[in-house]
Amino acid sequence: MQRILSTLIIFVSAFLLFQIQPILSKELLPMFGGGASVWSSSMLFYQTMLLVGYLYAHLLSRYPLKRQLLIHTLLVVLSSMITFNKLELGSFFILTPAWSVIANLFSQIGLVFMLLSATSVLMQRWYIESTDMAVPYHWYSFSNLGSLLALMSYPFIFEVLFSLDEQKNYWSIGLFAHCFLLLTLVAVLFKNSHTNQKPVTPPKTIRWVKPNYLWIVLSATSSIMLIATTQMISTNIPPMPLVWTLPLAIYLLTFAYTFASAKNYCRTHWLYLLLFAAFAGLIMFFLGSQFNALAQLLMYSFILLIVCMVCHGELRKLAPTESLLTTFYLYIALGGAIGSLLSTLLAPLLFAQITEYIVALAAVLALASYIQFTQCKQPSALFKINLLTVVAIWGGCYVYLFLSFNQYNLASERNFYGYVTVKDINTATLAERRLIDGTTIHGSEPLNPQDELTNSYYHQHTGVAKSLAILKQQGNLNIGIVGLGAGVLAKFGDQHDKIRFYELNPAVYSMALNYFSYLKDSPAQIEVAIGDGRITLTEEVKNKAPLMNALIIDAFSSDVIPTHLLTEEAFAVYWQRLTQDGLLILHISNNHIDLMPVLKAHSKRFDKSLIKFKYTGTQLGSEWVVMTNNQAFLNSITLSDLSPIITNSKTPLTQWTDQKHSLIPLIKL
């Protein structure tokens, strides 16, 4: 009975632990501009609380078993009553976005997350104390399988079928079920005649054991690789639960597989796969954006699988005896927290790009080489030379690719919202300055002022230029633009026009102001508001700011779509900021997501006409959508070199709200 209850509690707690992660992180996206760093900051919180949970289990295990049962049960019941309580910490502290994410999560689920994190370790500890049996390491696999089920069911079932509030309600029901199972186990253990027969170390004699430092380093390396992989995928594919949960599921799957049996990991076989993964990782780091969404997901996932198998397989080989059970798990959690801390807070300060991805690959290569030389049967001299040669070639390839891809860099900056670079491309056929956000061009300017800007999303033959030209025939422009880029759209304003940009990333504004001339040279009245566009527009609605005759949504970072800018509630704000005949213009050029079903649903919901402009005349083709009831504007649209396309009436409708939306049905495979 104890074995069944223990494994069931482990499974349920793991499911709850990893189900709540995408729920709350998705809920936080609109508060922080919809960027990928929301998840990396969340991961820092989750892994730190996992460490605290393991530390709690480590300390609690020093007490007699009955006292452990009472303390843990009381805390679990108490935490269940205060879960999801929100504290407005921003009223007391000025926090950076990353720390704001962490503070928000801590106030909602800090205590219960810590207690759920400790469940697997405590169940194993209580089992060996009450039965005198060996450590059931395979129970760790039950925990990871529960986590996997939670992660993979969320984007395909819970996110699609239920709103965020419904998801949290069902999760709360699961938490109370966990409490009931725990209380049942406690009752069983109290009746167990062996409960007090095994001697335990008194609380005052806690002895800290010096760890095998490979426990920490291997765990930290896999953690860095997990977060860096998620960041790399999210550079071009929108941050959504699938993009978050797939890498994390792979990370947990390798834990479950390697810890199920020490025989599951063959060091020699995985070393050769690791060498392949290292070179594949180089290709993806520099050229990953050239692949479609499915290819990126598969390649990044396969590389992560290999790296985590090596790290976690070596951890399983280093697993200690039962006397060091909680210490072992504690140091694994410490390594995970260190890796998360380095990836989330330190890496953006050290690297202008997501270079921690390369650092993780280099680290696992170094670790694998070290283990081969020190812990395997004496390798031959030829094997050593070949291994070191391959590692050296890998390093040389990285240096060559780095110099080739960064030779035109003029300036770079990375922060919570992403990384931006200014490049001066000066070749025999091209001479222009570009602003690169992630891997996507977000504005360019000819280096020779006499040259015309033709290879751009904003030249005179694109949908936005044509739309503004027609609107200007009706009067002066008073427009808002969500997304600054290089400020190219400022060139469409005349001296009687007003243009207000809304830019989330301060680094983008700095680059546009210091390296491009559009903002300074525009004769229009230019304003730039730093902050999330939707939040700022909502404040303007409350303050009854003057209405605009056009609002342009061009806020995509790299190929990433902030979904909170495309929900029904967001569109309601947009129409409140526009005049009755105003134009809502949206830039939907994207390699991975088809947004037309969402926009068609909104046009029907708000009773607006919709026209799509698609231009493919240059390397940077563009797609713009205009929604309006301005009949004079609609009558002015004629078939021309723009080839405006009236949306096909057969396009399926996809209604997005703040509470319920999913990108999975819209992915271009």
Side-chain angles (χ1 to χ4, degrees), residues 370-413:
Y370 171 78
I371 291 171
Q372 285 288 332
F373 291 164
T374 59
Q375 298 191 20
C376 298
K377 294 179 180 180
Q378 189 63 30
S380 66
L382 180 60
F383 177 83
K384 290 182 179 180
I385 293 173
N386 288 340
L387 180 58
L388 293 176
T389 300
V390 172
V391 173
I393 291 173
W394 180 87
C397 290
Y398 169 71
V399 172
Y400 172 78
L401 290 170
F402 176 83
L403 294 175
S404 298
F405 277 82
N406 293 280
Q407 60 179 315
Y408 300 118
N409 284 13
L410 185 63
S412 297
E413 187 172 342

Short mmCIF file of all heavy atoms in Angstrom, two decimals, residues 370-413:
data_model
loop_
_atom_site.label_atom_id
_atom_site.label_comp_id
_atom_site.label_asym_id
_atom_site.label_seq_id
_atom_site.Cartn_x
_atom_site.Cartn_y
_atom_site.Cartn_z
N TYR A 370 37.08 15.02 -20.61
CA TYR A 370 37.67 14.81 -19.28
C TYR A 370 37.27 13.45 -18.71
O TYR A 370 38.12 12.72 -18.17
CB TYR A 370 37.22 15.93 -18.34
CG TYR A 370 37.60 15.72 -16.90
CD1 TYR A 370 38.90 15.97 -16.45
CD2 TYR A 370 36.66 15.26 -15.97
CE1 TYR A 370 39.25 15.76 -15.12
CE2 TYR A 370 36.99 15.06 -14.64
CZ TYR A 370 38.28 15.31 -14.22
OH TYR A 370 38.63 15.09 -12.91
N ILE A 371 35.99 13.10 -18.82
CA ILE A 371 35.52 11.83 -18.29
C ILE A 371 36.13 10.66 -19.06
O ILE A 371 36.50 9.64 -18.47
CB ILE A 371 33.98 11.79 -18.34
CG1 ILE A 371 33.40 12.78 -17.32
CG2 ILE A 371 33.46 10.38 -18.07
CD1 ILE A 371 31.90 12.99 -17.43
N GLN A 372 36.27 10.82 -20.37
CA GLN A 372 36.88 9.76 -21.16
C GLN A 372 38.32 9.51 -20.72
O GLN A 372 38.78 8.37 -20.66
CB GLN A 372 36.86 10.14 -22.65
CG GLN A 372 35.52 10.00 -23.33
CD GLN A 372 35.10 8.56 -23.54
OE1 GLN A 372 35.94 7.68 -23.67
NE2 GLN A 372 33.80 8.31 -23.56
N PHE A 373 39.03 10.57 -20.40
CA PHE A 373 40.44 10.45 -20.05
C PHE A 373 40.67 10.00 -18.60
O PHE A 373 41.71 9.46 -18.27
CB PHE A 373 41.17 11.77 -20.28
CG PHE A 373 41.29 12.15 -21.73
CD1 PHE A 373 41.61 13.45 -22.09
CD2 PHE A 373 41.07 11.23 -22.73
CE1 PHE A 373 41.73 13.81 -23.42
CE2 PHE A 373 41.18 11.58 -24.07
CZ PHE A 373 41.51 12.87 -24.41
N THR A 374 39.69 10.26 -17.72
CA THR A 374 39.93 10.03 -16.29
C THR A 374 39.12 8.88 -15.70
O THR A 374 39.56 8.28 -14.71
CB THR A 374 39.60 11.30 -15.48
OG1 THR A 374 38.22 11.66 -15.69
CG2 THR A 374 40.50 12.46 -15.90
N GLN A 375 37.97 8.56 -16.29
CA GLN A 375 37.11 7.58 -15.65
C GLN A 375 36.85 6.34 -16.50
O GLN A 375 36.18 5.42 -16.05
CB GLN A 375 35.77 8.22 -15.27
CG GLN A 375 35.92 9.35 -14.27
CD GLN A 375 34.59 9.81 -13.70
OE1 GLN A 375 33.61 9.09 -13.76
NE2 GLN A 375 34.57 11.00 -13.14
N CYS A 376 37.36 6.32 -17.71
CA CYS A 376 37.21 5.13 -18.55
C CYS A 376 38.47 4.27 -18.45
O CYS A 376 39.49 4.70 -17.92
CB CYS A 376 36.99 5.55 -20.01
SG CYS A 376 35.48 6.49 -20.26
N LYS A 377 38.35 3.07 -18.99
CA LYS A 377 39.55 2.27 -19.11
C LYS A 377 40.56 3.03 -19.96
O LYS A 377 40.20 3.74 -20.88
CB LYS A 377 39.22 0.92 -19.76
CG LYS A 377 38.32 0.04 -18.89
CD LYS A 377 38.02 -1.27 -19.59
CE LYS A 377 37.12 -2.15 -18.73
NZ LYS A 377 36.80 -3.44 -19.40
N GLN A 378 41.82 2.85 -19.65
CA GLN A 378 42.87 3.67 -20.28
C GLN A 378 42.69 3.73 -21.79
O GLN A 378 42.87 2.74 -22.50
CB GLN A 378 44.25 3.07 -19.95
CG GLN A 378 45.41 3.96 -20.37
CD GLN A 378 45.41 5.30 -19.64
OE1 GLN A 378 44.96 5.39 -18.51
NE2 GLN A 378 45.89 6.32 -20.30
N PRO A 379 42.28 4.92 -22.32
CA PRO A 379 42.11 5.03 -23.77
C PRO A 379 43.46 5.04 -24.48
O PRO A 379 44.47 5.45 -23.91
CB PRO A 379 41.38 6.37 -23.94
CG PRO A 379 41.78 7.16 -22.73
CD PRO A 379 41.98 6.18 -21.62
N SER A 380 43.46 4.60 -25.71
CA SER A 380 44.70 4.57 -26.48
C SER A 380 45.14 5.97 -26.83
O SER A 380 44.35 6.93 -26.84
CB SER A 380 44.49 3.75 -27.76
OG SER A 380 43.57 4.41 -28.61
N ALA A 381 46.41 6.10 -27.15
CA ALA A 381 46.95 7.41 -27.54
C ALA A 381 46.28 7.91 -28.81
O ALA A 381 46.01 9.11 -28.96
CB ALA A 381 48.45 7.31 -27.73
N LEU A 382 45.96 7.00 -29.73
CA LEU A 382 45.30 7.39 -30.98
C LEU A 382 43.91 7.95 -30.70
O LEU A 382 43.50 8.95 -31.30
CB LEU A 382 45.20 6.18 -31.92
CG LEU A 382 44.53 6.44 -33.28
CD1 LEU A 382 45.30 7.49 -34.06
CD2 LEU A 382 44.42 5.13 -34.08
N PHE A 383 43.18 7.31 -29.77
CA PHE A 383 41.85 7.80 -29.42
C PHE A 383 41.93 9.20 -28.83
O PHE A 383 41.13 10.08 -29.18
CB PHE A 383 41.20 6.84 -28.41
CG PHE A 383 39.85 7.30 -27.92
CD1 PHE A 383 38.71 7.04 -28.65
CD2 PHE A 383 39.74 8.01 -26.73
CE1 PHE A 383 37.47 7.46 -28.21
CE2 PHE A 383 38.50 8.43 -26.28
CZ PHE A 383 37.36 8.16 -27.02
N LYS A 384 42.89 9.41 -27.95
CA LYS A 384 43.05 10.74 -27.34
C LYS A 384 43.35 11.79 -28.40
O LYS A 384 42.76 12.88 -28.40
CB LYS A 384 44.19 10.71 -26.32
CG LYS A 384 43.90 9.91 -25.06
CD LYS A 384 45.08 10.00 -24.10
CE LYS A 384 44.81 9.24 -22.82
NZ LYS A 384 45.95 9.31 -21.88
N ILE A 385 44.25 11.45 -29.31
CA ILE A 385 44.63 12.42 -30.36
C ILE A 385 43.43 12.73 -31.25
O ILE A 385 43.16 13.90 -31.59
CB ILE A 385 45.80 11.87 -31.18
CG1 ILE A 385 47.07 11.79 -30.32
CG2 ILE A 385 46.05 12.75 -32.41
CD1 ILE A 385 48.23 11.09 -31.00
N ASN A 386 42.69 11.69 -31.64
CA ASN A 386 41.53 11.90 -32.51
C ASN A 386 40.46 12.77 -31.83
O ASN A 386 39.87 13.67 -32.44
CB ASN A 386 40.92 10.56 -32.91
CG ASN A 386 41.79 9.81 -33.89
OD1 ASN A 386 42.64 10.40 -34.56
ND2 ASN A 386 41.60 8.49 -33.98
N LEU A 387 40.21 12.48 -30.54
CA LEU A 387 39.19 13.24 -29.81
C LEU A 387 39.59 14.70 -29.68
O LEU A 387 38.78 15.61 -29.94
CB LEU A 387 38.97 12.62 -28.43
CG LEU A 387 37.92 13.31 -27.55
CD1 LEU A 387 36.56 13.34 -28.25
CD2 LEU A 387 37.80 12.60 -26.21
N LEU A 388 40.83 14.95 -29.30
CA LEU A 388 41.30 16.32 -29.16
C LEU A 388 41.32 17.04 -30.50
O LEU A 388 41.05 18.25 -30.57
CB LEU A 388 42.68 16.34 -28.51
CG LEU A 388 42.74 15.88 -27.05
CD1 LEU A 388 44.18 15.84 -26.56
CD2 LEU A 388 41.91 16.79 -26.17
N THR A 389 41.62 16.33 -31.56
CA THR A 389 41.64 16.93 -32.91
C THR A 389 40.24 17.37 -33.32
O THR A 389 40.05 18.48 -33.84
CB THR A 389 42.19 15.93 -33.94
OG1 THR A 389 43.52 15.56 -33.58
CG2 THR A 389 42.19 16.55 -35.33
N VAL A 390 39.27 16.51 -33.06
CA VAL A 390 37.87 16.86 -33.40
C VAL A 390 37.42 18.08 -32.61
O VAL A 390 36.77 18.99 -33.16
CB VAL A 390 36.94 15.66 -33.14
CG1 VAL A 390 35.48 16.09 -33.29
CG2 VAL A 390 37.26 14.52 -34.08
N VAL A 391 37.74 18.12 -31.31
CA VAL A 391 37.37 19.26 -30.48
C VAL A 391 38.03 20.54 -30.99
O VAL A 391 37.41 21.61 -31.04
CB VAL A 391 37.74 19.00 -29.01
CG1 VAL A 391 37.51 20.25 -28.18
CG2 VAL A 391 36.93 17.84 -28.45
N ALA A 392 39.31 20.43 -31.40
CA ALA A 392 40.02 21.59 -31.93
C ALA A 392 39.41 22.07 -33.24
O ALA A 392 39.28 23.28 -33.49
CB ALA A 392 41.50 21.25 -32.12
N ILE A 393 39.02 21.13 -34.09
CA ILE A 393 38.37 21.50 -35.36
C ILE A 393 37.05 22.22 -35.08
O ILE A 393 36.72 23.21 -35.74
CB ILE A 393 38.13 20.24 -36.22
CG1 ILE A 393 39.47 19.68 -36.71
CG2 ILE A 393 37.22 20.56 -37.41
CD1 ILE A 393 39.34 18.34 -37.42
N TRP A 394 36.31 21.72 -34.10
CA TRP A 394 35.05 22.36 -33.73
C TRP A 394 35.30 23.81 -33.30
O TRP A 394 34.59 24.73 -33.72
CB TRP A 394 34.39 21.58 -32.60
CG TRP A 394 33.08 22.17 -32.15
CD1 TRP A 394 31.85 21.93 -32.67
CD2 TRP A 394 32.87 23.11 -31.09
NE1 TRP A 394 30.88 22.66 -32.01
CE2 TRP A 394 31.48 23.39 -31.03
CE3 TRP A 394 33.72 23.73 -30.19
CZ2 TRP A 394 30.94 24.28 -30.11
CZ3 TRP A 394 33.18 24.62 -29.26
CH2 TRP A 394 31.80 24.89 -29.22
N GLY A 395 36.31 24.02 -32.46
CA GLY A 395 36.64 25.37 -32.03
C GLY A 395 37.04 26.26 -33.18
O GLY A 395 36.64 27.43 -33.26
N GLY A 396 37.82 25.70 -34.11
CA GLY A 396 38.23 26.48 -35.28
C GLY A 396 37.05 26.85 -36.16
O GLY A 396 36.97 27.98 -36.69
N CYS A 397 36.10 25.92 -36.32
CA CYS A 397 34.90 26.21 -37.11
C CYS A 397 34.09 27.34 -36.48
O CYS A 397 33.56 28.21 -37.19
CB CYS A 397 34.04 24.96 -37.23
SG CYS A 397 34.75 23.67 -38.29
N TYR A 398 33.99 27.31 -35.15
CA TYR A 398 33.23 28.38 -34.48
C TYR A 398 33.88 29.74 -34.72
O TYR A 398 33.19 30.72 -35.04
CB TYR A 398 33.12 28.12 -32.98
CG TYR A 398 32.58 29.32 -32.23
CD1 TYR A 398 31.24 29.68 -32.35
CD2 TYR A 398 33.42 30.13 -31.46
CE1 TYR A 398 30.73 30.80 -31.71
CE2 TYR A 398 32.92 31.25 -30.81
CZ TYR A 398 31.58 31.58 -30.94
OH TYR A 398 31.10 32.70 -30.31
N VAL A 399 35.20 29.82 -34.56
CA VAL A 399 35.90 31.09 -34.75
C VAL A 399 35.70 31.60 -36.18
O VAL A 399 35.42 32.78 -36.41
CB VAL A 399 37.39 30.94 -34.43
CG1 VAL A 399 38.16 32.20 -34.82
CG2 VAL A 399 37.59 30.65 -32.94
N TYR A 400 35.81 30.70 -37.16
CA TYR A 400 35.65 31.10 -38.56
C TYR A 400 34.23 31.62 -38.82
O TYR A 400 34.05 32.69 -39.44
CB TYR A 400 35.95 29.91 -39.47
CG TYR A 400 35.62 30.18 -40.93
CD1 TYR A 400 36.47 30.95 -41.73
CD2 TYR A 400 34.45 29.67 -41.50
CE1 TYR A 400 36.16 31.20 -43.06
CE2 TYR A 400 34.13 29.91 -42.82
CZ TYR A 400 34.98 30.69 -43.59
OH TYR A 400 34.67 30.95 -44.91
N LEU A 401 33.24 30.88 -38.35
CA LEU A 401 31.86 31.30 -38.57
C LEU A 401 31.53 32.59 -37.83
O LEU A 401 30.82 33.46 -38.35
CB LEU A 401 30.91 30.19 -38.13
CG LEU A 401 30.90 28.93 -39.00
CD1 LEU A 401 30.10 27.82 -38.34
CD2 LEU A 401 30.35 29.23 -40.39
N PHE A 402 32.06 32.72 -36.62
CA PHE A 402 31.81 33.94 -35.84
C PHE A 402 32.36 35.16 -36.57
O PHE A 402 31.67 36.19 -36.68
CB PHE A 402 32.46 33.80 -34.46
CG PHE A 402 32.33 35.04 -33.62
CD1 PHE A 402 31.18 35.29 -32.89
CD2 PHE A 402 33.37 35.98 -33.56
CE1 PHE A 402 31.05 36.44 -32.13
CE2 PHE A 402 33.25 37.13 -32.79
CZ PHE A 402 32.09 37.36 -32.07
N LEU A 403 33.58 35.06 -37.06
CA LEU A 403 34.18 36.19 -37.77
C LEU A 403 33.44 36.49 -39.06
O LEU A 403 33.25 37.66 -39.43
CB LEU A 403 35.66 35.91 -38.05
CG LEU A 403 36.57 35.80 -36.82
CD1 LEU A 403 37.97 35.41 -37.23
CD2 LEU A 403 36.58 37.12 -36.05
N SER A 404 32.99 35.45 -39.76
CA SER A 404 32.29 35.65 -41.03
C SER A 404 30.93 36.32 -40.83
O SER A 404 30.56 37.23 -41.58
CB SER A 404 32.10 34.30 -41.74
OG SER A 404 33.35 33.71 -42.03
N PHE A 405 30.20 35.90 -39.81
CA PHE A 405 28.85 36.40 -39.61
C PHE A 405 28.82 37.73 -38.86
O PHE A 405 27.79 38.40 -38.85
CB PHE A 405 28.01 35.36 -38.85
CG PHE A 405 27.44 34.30 -39.74
CD1 PHE A 405 28.21 33.22 -40.12
CD2 PHE A 405 26.14 34.39 -40.20
CE1 PHE A 405 27.70 32.23 -40.94
CE2 PHE A 405 25.62 33.40 -41.03
CZ PHE A 405 26.40 32.32 -41.41
N ASN A 406 29.90 38.12 -38.25
CA ASN A 406 29.92 39.37 -37.49
C ASN A 406 30.86 40.42 -38.06
O ASN A 406 31.12 41.43 -37.41
CB ASN A 406 30.30 39.08 -36.03
CG ASN A 406 29.24 38.27 -35.31
OD1 ASN A 406 28.23 38.78 -34.86
ND2 ASN A 406 29.48 36.97 -35.20
N GLN A 407 31.37 40.19 -39.27
CA GLN A 407 32.34 41.11 -39.84
C GLN A 407 31.75 42.50 -40.14
O GLN A 407 32.48 43.49 -40.19
CB GLN A 407 32.93 40.52 -41.12
CG GLN A 407 31.89 40.24 -42.20
CD GLN A 407 32.51 39.67 -43.47
OE1 GLN A 407 33.54 40.17 -43.93
NE2 GLN A 407 31.90 38.62 -44.02
N TYR A 408 30.42 42.57 -40.32
CA TYR A 408 29.80 43.86 -40.65
C TYR A 408 29.20 44.56 -39.43
O TYR A 408 28.59 45.62 -39.56
CB TYR A 408 28.71 43.65 -41.70
CG TYR A 408 29.20 43.06 -43.01
CD1 TYR A 408 28.72 41.83 -43.45
CD2 TYR A 408 30.13 43.74 -43.80
CE1 TYR A 408 29.17 41.28 -44.65
CE2 TYR A 408 30.57 43.20 -44.99
CZ TYR A 408 30.09 41.96 -45.41
OH TYR A 408 30.54 41.43 -46.60
N ASN A 409 29.36 43.98 -38.25
CA ASN A 409 28.71 44.54 -37.06
C ASN A 409 29.26 45.92 -36.71
O ASN A 409 30.47 46.14 -36.66
CB ASN A 409 28.91 43.61 -35.86
CG ASN A 409 28.01 42.39 -35.93
OD1 ASN A 409 27.41 42.11 -36.96
ND2 ASN A 409 27.91 41.67 -34.84
N LEU A 410 28.34 46.84 -36.47
CA LEU A 410 28.69 48.19 -36.04
C LEU A 410 28.40 48.39 -34.56
O LEU A 410 29.15 49.04 -33.83
CB LEU A 410 27.92 49.22 -36.88
CG LEU A 410 28.25 50.70 -36.64
CD1 LEU A 410 29.71 50.98 -37.00
CD2 LEU A 410 27.33 51.59 -37.47
N ALA A 411 27.30 47.83 -34.10
CA ALA A 411 26.92 47.94 -32.68
C ALA A 411 25.96 46.80 -32.35
O ALA A 411 25.20 46.33 -33.20
CB ALA A 411 26.25 49.28 -32.39
N SER A 412 26.00 46.35 -31.08
CA SER A 412 25.11 45.29 -30.61
C SER A 412 24.70 45.56 -29.18
O SER A 412 25.46 46.16 -28.41
CB SER A 412 25.80 43.91 -30.69
OG SER A 412 26.10 43.56 -32.02
N GLU A 413 23.51 45.14 -28.83
CA GLU A 413 23.06 45.26 -27.45
C GLU A 413 22.02 44.17 -27.17
O GLU A 413 21.20 43.86 -28.02
CB GLU A 413 22.44 46.63 -27.19
CG GLU A 413 22.11 46.87 -25.72
CD GLU A 413 21.67 48.29 -25.42
OE1 GLU A 413 21.93 49.18 -26.24
OE2 GLU A 413 21.05 48.51 -24.36
#
